[in-house]
Amino acid sequence: MKTTLTKERCVACRKDAPRLTDAEIAQLRKEVPLWKVEERDGIPILERVFSFPDFAAALRFTQRVGELAEQEGHHPAILTEWGKVTVSWWTHKIRGLHRNDFVMAAKTDGIYESSAKGPSPEG
Ligand SMILES: C[C@H](O)[C@H](O)[C@H]1CNC2=NC(N)=NC(=O)C2=N1
């Protein structure tokens, strides 16, 4: 499902930026339906597990998500295992969820969908 979130850029998040309300989270979740909202150490996080044929493909995806994070200045927690990658987004500064996290989740889906369409360019 195409969402317009993928077209947005992350905004510089300030310490006093407001956390998303439950209602806003419920609304944004519809844009990234394959992501779950978990709570870790009292902090709500957006999380999805991606599947791959082997560790090398999981690692390539991890690298691409990392490059995206660097471009946007917004970084995930990533657990890379044989055949699967768990990506978690939240905003450290506000110890909660920000629109940036949903933008990045949508962009992460975009990377997965494009990588799933065939071998990566480097073969
Ligand atoms: C200085 C640097 O830009 C900030 O620490 C950025 C880096 N990446 C970040 N990533 C996430 N997920 N949350 C943040 O609050 C955050 N802050």
Side-chain angles (χ1 to χ4, degrees):
M1 178 197 99
K2 272 287 154 251
T3 161
T4 55
L5 286 174
T6 44
K7 301 201 181 354
E8 296 184 27
R9 300 294 309 272
C10 282
V11 297
C13 190
R14 304 200 337 231
K15 218 165 174 52
D16 59 355
R19 290 193 188 92
L20 290 173
T21 64
D22 289 348
E24 288 166 327
I25 290 171
Q27 205 50 37
L28 284 165
R29 285 185 68 175
K30 296 174 190 166
E31 306 279 323
V32 283
L34 298 176
W35 292 73
K36 289 185 298 182
V37 175
E38 305 278 358
E39 186 169 300
R40 204 144 301 152
D41 306 328
I43 299 174
I45 63 167
L46 209 43
E47 189 162 281
R48 180 180 171 189
V49 181
F50 296 87
S51 301
F52 296 92
D54 52 30
F55 187 81
L59 197 51
R60 278 196 300 275
F61 174 74
T62 300
Q63 175 66 26
R64 292 181 67 190
V65 175
E67 285 161 359
L68 168 72
E70 282 294 278
Q71 284 158 16
E72 295 285 345
H74 199 71
H75 302 83
I78 306 177
L79 173 61
T80 303
E81 303 170 87
W82 196 101
K84 72 184 211 178
V85 176
T86 305
V87 181
S88 308
W89 292 102
W90 76 97
T91 299
H92 314 149
K93 271 196 197 63
I94 62 174
R95 295 175 56 78
L97 287 174
H98 184 279
R99 189 178 181 84
N100 285 346
D101 299 304
F102 285 87
V103 168
M104 296 304 277
K107 288 175 184 273
T108 306
D109 285 347
I111 290 174
Y112 184 67
E113 284 153 21
S114 64
S115 62
K117 287 209 171 16
S120 60
E122 57 267 19

